[in-house]
Each structure stands twice: as structure tokens, then as C-alpha cells.
Amino acid sequence: IPFLLLFFFTEKVFASLPQVERGVSKIIGGDPKGNNFLYTNGKCVVIRNIDNPAIADIYTEHAHQVVVAKYAPSGFYIASGDVSGKLRIWDTTQKEHLLKYEYQPFAGKIKDLAWTEDSKRIAVVGEGREKFGAVFLWDSGSSVGEITGHNKVINSVDIKQTRPYRLATGSDDNCAAFFEGPPFKFKFTLSDHTRFVNCVRFSPDGNRFATASADGQIFVYDGKTGEKVCALGGGKAHDGGIYAISWSPDSSQLLSASGDKTAKIWDVGANSIVNTFNMGSNVLDQQLGCLWQKDHLLTISLSGYINYLDKNNPNKPLRVIKGHSKSIQCLTVHKNGGKSYIYSGSNDENDGFSGKGHTNQVSRMAVDEMDQLVTCSMDDTVRYTNLSKRDYSGQDAVKMDVQPKCLAVGPGGYTVVLCIGQIVLMKDKKKCFAIDDLGYEPEAVAIHPTGSTAAVGGADGNVHLYSIQGTSLKSDDKTLEAKGPVTDLAYSHDGAFLAVCDANKVVTVFSVADGYAEHNVFYGHHAKVVCIAWSPDNEHFASGGMDMMVYIWTVGDPETRVKIPDAHRLHHVSGLAWLDEHTLVTTSHDASVKEWSISYN
């Protein structure tokens, strides 16, 4: 009797980093309870635990790219705004994040938002066509004032968290504006800055608010009257534009993040610098966002990295959270010294390896028997990276004549690389054989565990078998028929089966010992199946599709399957790999990596 698949659950989410843009401030939202912090990437809002960022949750209900997300002061709801001008208010207490209200305050990108302390009113600002801001009741959308006084995009808004309420805004017209309310009415313009005003923030006690600008200056004003108190640092606060500021919980200090690649802590009362954090010398070390929450001081670099600053050692962060910020194309896993490592490939500046890596998107990766990570990329190279040294060394990059798109590794130092219109056999990191006039376009390749056969899936809907003989590749003149253009294929670890998935939503398994006779056909995906991976038990395999589904199949019984629906909401699954018989890892174009626990009955 085949195993019955009972259940699965996600164990870990390796969340994507914030999506950042040079010269644009990035908002990190804080949690009134102090446990989490929030940021956006693509259409996702990422919620991470501030003490343990490996605990993450991803909200995926926006139809367009999200720009800003902030907790209501009550902690029960999050409001998030996107580039189309949609504001969604959703529940934080349940896993489903049910939508409470949705509004469209104006047509155009929402750049910032703020709540009143009673969680009843919301101000939203950005790039509207007729207006650049709105302030309304959270449960009805009824207006509670007007945001006027600017003639260009409003970048930032904040509301005083004590009564009497005040509201401040900062704009590309080089001005900040001060409002009283509710209903909120424009009082006056603050024209102290000479460049774009990027950020305005009230202190938690409401006594002060500060404005930060691309001119490198920070001005502090009285929270109740709007009168100027001082310029931090006397003149310029930073040598570059300032993108973000965040007050300390006790309202006595201010954290600032700048394009000059530093963050600073200011004693606002004494108008003096307490700390200067030098974040590096690379352009990617520019600081675009910051958050001061409880004892945590966070900044976001242009690299997307999240830095936890150390007051006692300003030159070295306590920790730096790294990862992907762009879509992940492929993945592989590798056991080393009893520990499992997950390697994932994208086209962003990743971390984890020293030296210069691929200069373009990584299309495929595998680990060979020499513990080398073998990768091919749109930069027309195949690279061999030593996993114990984790060093990209230039001499181990092999240039291809045409762009490579897929590869497989086998025993004996063999790698078979599929390029556009070409199959290349490599041995010991050198090209030794190529077949050009194929008569079909190769799409996917797998090497039998014995190293004797390479199976190449074609856009012609067939799998073509080749023998690896010494330094040459010979066609076996044998083709296996798939149910559509082949998208991926994989041999089971014991070499008994070859599983082939195709663009027609089908997975076909062939039995190797029976002369590659068709063993079983698996239906279930609602769209093109794009990746496949065998469990180490050789009885189960997983498939991922454009339908965002992952299925786990039993080779002997196509009816016994487990479905992981919406494995990655919004984006199709781009890669699968098993860490062990009960742990599956998936990646996606949402830039996150997820680990799933699978149990059999």
C-alpha cells in the first residue's frame, strides 16, 4: 500500500529583503508592541520579528507594488499603501490577515501614511493627480480635513501622538507644512530646507517634530506651535542627503540615515552628536531607512541589507540581515558536516560568497561530488565555486559561446550544460565536447546517478537520451515522449525513475530499468509545471507550477498526492529541493525561500 500523505506545514520563511531604489527613502514600520518590524518588497508586505528576524510573515494581497506599511497604534491592524493609490487596512491578529477596509484616497503612488494615537484616523500622502494627500476616518473613509499647502509630491507625513493633534508633511517642493486639527487645516509652510524634504517625524511625547531633507539638514520644531527650535549640528547634519529619521522611545534622541553612508544619533536637547555609525565606503552602503524601536536601532542600506546598530561599537553592526531582494530563479541544497545548506540564485548582489560572482541572473545551480557549487548565468559563464571556501574565484569561470540556461552534474567531474541551440559536455571544469545541430531547442537536463546517460528535455515535447563516453556525448537515438514541451526533468536518487514535467501541466515518470517505459502519468497542476525534485526516499517527488501550487506525488500511485496551495502567493514556484525525506524547500520570484515539513502516514 502506498504511503498516504497526511499533512504539511511551513517551518521557516527566509523572507526577502526590502526593495530599495537609489535616492528614494525606504520606510520601516515599527510595532507598537515592540515585537515586529515591517517593510515592503514588490507586492508583498514583510513582517519580521525584531529579536529573531528568521520568524517572518508575508502579506500578499496587494495587486500592485506596495510602498509603505504601518501598524495602527492599537497594534491590531496594519495599513499598507501601493503605487496605484490603494490603501488596505488588514488584521494582524490572525494568520489570514483579513481585509477590514480598502480605500483609494487619490489616484497615484502612496508614499507615506500616519495614524492618530486612537487608531481612528489616517493621513495618506503621495503622488496624486489632483491632490497629494488625504486624511479620513479609518472605518468610513469620511474626510477629517484637507492636506493642502504643497505644489509637488508629498514624501512624508506624521501625526502628533498626543492631543491636541498636529500633522506635518514634507514635499518635493522643498517645504514642510504644519496643520492643526481635527478637522486638519493647513496652518503654515516651513521653508527652511533648500532641497526635497524626505522625512517628517513627531517625537513620541509630541513636544517636538523634526524634518530631514536632501540638503543634509535636520530642523527641529515645537510640536504644538510649529516654531523652529534648532538645526541639528548647527548647519548640516550630514554630508549627503538624509532619507530617514526616527526618534528614541523617550523622545530625547534622534536617529538619522543618510546617503553619505552614515547613520547618526543626536541628543536633541543638547544639539550634539552622540554616535556616528560608518556603514562602509561602497555606494550600496548608502542609508535609506531607519527605525528606533525599544533598544533596537535598525537601518536599511541601498544593498537592501538590514543593519542592527551597536551603540557601543559604531563601526560594526551587531548583526546584518542579508538575503535576496530580487526574484529567485533557482536553488539547490547541500549537506556539509551534518548540516544542510540552502543555496539560491538570483540577479541581485547576494552575500555568502567572497569575490566577484556572476554579473547577471543565475539560471541554474547544482552541487557536484567535489563539493563545488556549479552555476550557469545569463552572463554567458559557468562557474565552479568551492563551498568550503565560499569564494568566487575568477579562474573557475568558463565562458560559453552562447548563453547557458540549464546544467546538470554527474560523477567523474562531468557537467552537461544546455546553451541556446547547443549541448556542451564539460569534464573537470573544461569544455570537451559540443553538439550544435540538434534539430530541437534543449530546455532541461539531468544526468543518471551512474553518470552514463544524460537526458535532455526539448521544447519539441521529447526527452532525448545521450551516452557520456569519455570526453564525448553520443546520441542514443532514443526519444521519450512527454505530454508537451519539457520544462524540467530529474532522475530519482537510485536511478530507477526519470520524472519529466511539461508545459501542458503534466508530469510523466519513466522506468529506467524497463527501457524507459512510461511508468505513470500525474495530473493535477492547473498551469505549466516548471520544476521537479525527488525526495531522498525515491518514492515521492515534488513538482512546482505556474499555478503557484506545489504537489508531492507518490511514484506508485498518482492518486495519492498532497497539495500545497499558494506555496508562494502571487508568484510561481521557481525551484524545489529536499533537505531530507520530510523537509522540502521552495523558492519563488517573490524573493523568499520557504521550508516545509512533510509528514507521511
Side-chain angles (χ1 to χ4, degrees):
I1 301 169
F3 282 113
L4 275 178
L5 297 165
L6 262 203
F7 59 90
F8 66 89
F9 59 90
T10 46
E11 280 195 334
K12 292 182 189 141
V13 176
F14 302 95
S16 59
L17 290 178
Q19 183 174 356
V20 288
E21 205 180 319
R22 190 167 177 183
V24 179
S25 46
K26 184 70 189 178
I27 294 168
I28 321 179
D31 172 1
K33 296 187 169 69
N35 303 325
N36 300 322
F37 65 99
L38 289 170
Y39 57 81
T40 63
N41 182 315
K43 298 175 187 174
C44 304
V45 177
V46 180
I47 307 169
R48 295 182 90 156
N49 182 295
I50 201 160
D51 294 310
N52 179 6
I55 300 170
D57 193 3
I58 304 174
Y59 178 76
T60 55
E61 297 299 317
H62 275 273
H64 299 91
Q65 184 186 328
V66 201
V67 183
V68 57
K70 287 190 178 171
Y71 273 95
S74 67
F76 296 133
Y77 293 97
I78 288 170
S80 50
D82 67 28
V83 294
S84 75
K86 279 267 190 312
L87 180 83
R88 293 178 74 89
I89 300 171
W90 39 281
D91 177 275
T92 61
T93 57
Q94 268 122 29
K95 192 82 181 127
E96 296 74 43
H97 300 309
L98 298 172
L99 180 70
K100 186 78 174 169
Y101 301 107
E102 185 177 56
Y103 300 111
Q104 177 110 26
F106 47 80
K109 183 193 286 187
I110 293 175
K111 296 198 75 173
D112 199 6
L113 63 92
W115 294 78
T116 50
E117 46 75 38
D118 58 5
S119 302
K120 287 183 177 159
R121 301 170 190 83
I122 297 181
V124 180
V125 298
E127 297 179 13
R129 294 198 188 99
E130 298 82 34
K131 55 180 185 175
F132 302 116
V135 55
F136 49 89
L137 291 173
W138 87 293
D139 54 357
S140 66
S142 305
S143 173
V144 284
E146 276 191 295
I147 293 182
T148 54
H150 291 293
N151 55 24
K152 286 192 178 159
V153 173
I154 301 179
N155 298 315
S156 186
V157 64
D158 202 21
I159 296 174
K160 181 158 131 6
Q161 293 296 294
T162 53
R163 291 175 185 271
Y165 288 154
R166 300 288 183 262
L167 183 150
T169 52
S171 162
D172 273 8
D173 62 11
N174 303 353
C175 294
F178 188 70
F179 301 75
E180 292 181 359
F184 290 98
K185 288 194 182 69
F186 170 76
K187 275 308 202 211
F188 47 81
T189 298
L190 304 162
S191 11
D192 297 302
H193 289 291
T194 56
R195 299 277 312 277
F196 298 167
V197 181
N198 288 324
C199 192
V200 297
R201 294 292 180 256
F202 279 91
S203 59
D205 64 12
N207 290 336
R208 299 275 185 264
F209 73 93
T211 61
S213 159
D215 62 13
Q217 298 187 92
I218 299 172
F219 291 106
V220 179
Y221 302 89
D222 183 282
K224 193 172 171 187
T225 65
E227 286 170 31
K228 185 157 87 172
V229 176
C230 67
L232 288 185
K236 278 202 163 187
H238 280 274
D239 294 333
I242 302 165
Y243 291 107
I245 48 178
S246 184
W247 288 86
S248 63
D250 69 1
S251 300
S252 68
Q253 297 184 332
L254 187 75
L255 173 65
S256 57
S258 167
D260 66 8
K261 311 177 190 70
T262 69
K264 293 183 182 181
I265 294 177
W266 301 87
D267 181 319
V268 178
N271 194 353
S272 60
I273 295 178
V274 181
N275 287 76
T276 300
F277 302 89
N278 293 302
M279 305 305 293
S281 53
N282 189 308
V283 67
L284 292 173
D285 297 319
Q286 292 186 359
Q287 301 301 297
L288 300 181
C290 63
L291 173 68
W292 193 324
Q293 183 165 295
K294 287 190 174 171
D295 298 330
H296 295 291
L297 295 148
L298 271 58
T299 66
I300 292 181
S301 303
L302 179 55
S303 57
Y305 294 171
I306 301 164
N307 314 293
Y308 283 64
L309 305 183
D310 185 353
K311 283 188 197 170
N312 302 319
N313 182 4
N315 291 319
K316 189 171 186 294
L318 286 168
R319 71 189 296 179
V320 179
I321 303 175
K322 301 178 178 182
H324 287 289
S325 57
K326 296 187 185 158
S327 70
I328 301 173
Q329 306 294 331
C330 53
L331 128 122
T332 189
V333 295
H334 175 236
K335 272 201 165 53
N336 190 354
K339 275 180 87 173
S340 292
Y341 292 90
I342 303 169
Y343 298 98
S344 49
S346 175
N347 61 342
D348 49 17
E349 294 284 332
N350 76 4
D351 180 64
F353 295 92
S354 54
K356 186 83 184 108
H358 284 292
T359 55
N360 204 328
Q361 178 176 301
V362 179
S363 311
R364 194 73 173 208
M365 49 173 49
V367 178
D368 67 11
E369 57 184 8
M370 322 266 290
D371 284 352
Q372 297 178 118
L373 183 66
V374 189
T375 53
C376 67
S377 159
M378 287 183 176
D379 63 10
D380 296 353
T381 63
V382 171
R383 279 181 181 270
Y384 292 83
T385 307
N386 184 311
L387 287 182
S388 51
K389 292 192 190 137
R390 295 198 183 188
D391 182 25
Y392 290 124
S393 53
Q395 70 268 26
D396 288 341
V398 184
K399 186 92 177 75
M400 295 287 137
D401 303 330
V402 222
Q403 182 178 303
K405 51 186 177 179
C406 191
L407 58 77
V409 295
Y414 285 110
T415 304
V416 175
V417 184
L418 302 188
C419 302
I420 295 169
Q422 186 186 53
I423 302 175
V424 179
L425 178 69
M426 299 176 69
K427 184 166 168 55
D428 303 328
K429 305 186 199 175
K430 291 185 182 65
K431 289 192 269 190
C432 58
F433 198 79
I435 304 175
D436 286 311
D437 43 356
L438 293 169
Y440 68 95
E441 184 55 45
E443 296 293 346
V445 60
I447 297 178
H448 191 270
T450 59
S452 56
T453 305
V456 178
D460 61 352
N462 291 313
V463 177
H464 305 259
L465 300 177
Y466 297 85
S467 296
I468 299 173
Q469 301 174 357
T471 53
S472 68
L473 203 57
K474 296 224 173 10
S475 171
D476 288 355
D477 294 324
K478 184 177 178 70
T479 57
L480 317 173
E481 213 174 303
K483 308 294 184 238
V486 177
T487 51
D488 197 11
L489 72 179
Y491 280 103
S492 57
H493 302 278
D494 60 4
F497 297 108
L498 174 67
V500 181
C501 59
D502 63 49
N504 285 352
K505 310 181 272 202
V506 184
V507 181
T508 312
V509 173
F510 299 93
S511 171
V512 176
D514 300 329
Y516 286 91
E518 192 175 285
H519 179 75
N520 257 328
V521 186
F522 300 81
Y523 299 93
H525 280 283
H526 302 304
K528 184 180 186 173
V529 190
V530 289
C531 48
I532 201 152
W534 282 89
S535 161
D537 68 10
N538 297 310
E539 291 181 17
H540 302 95
F541 62 91
S543 62
M546 299 283 260
D547 52 6
M548 303 174 230
M549 298 279 191
V550 172
Y551 280 97
I552 293 140
W553 309 90
T554 305
V555 72
D557 180 11
E559 300 308 309
T560 305
R561 63 183 190 205
V562 72
K563 176 166 79 169
I564 306 179
D566 290 335
H568 293 261
R569 293 290 303 271
L570 295 182
H571 296 82
H572 72 256
V573 181
S574 60
L576 298 165
W578 294 79
L579 285 178
D580 55 50
E581 293 183 14
H582 296 289
T583 316
L584 178 69
V585 181
T586 60
T587 58
S588 154
H589 295 288
D590 65 6
S592 65
V593 179
K594 293 187 180 180
E595 205 174 282
W596 307 84
S597 220
I598 315 287
S599 291
Y600 306 112
N601 183 6

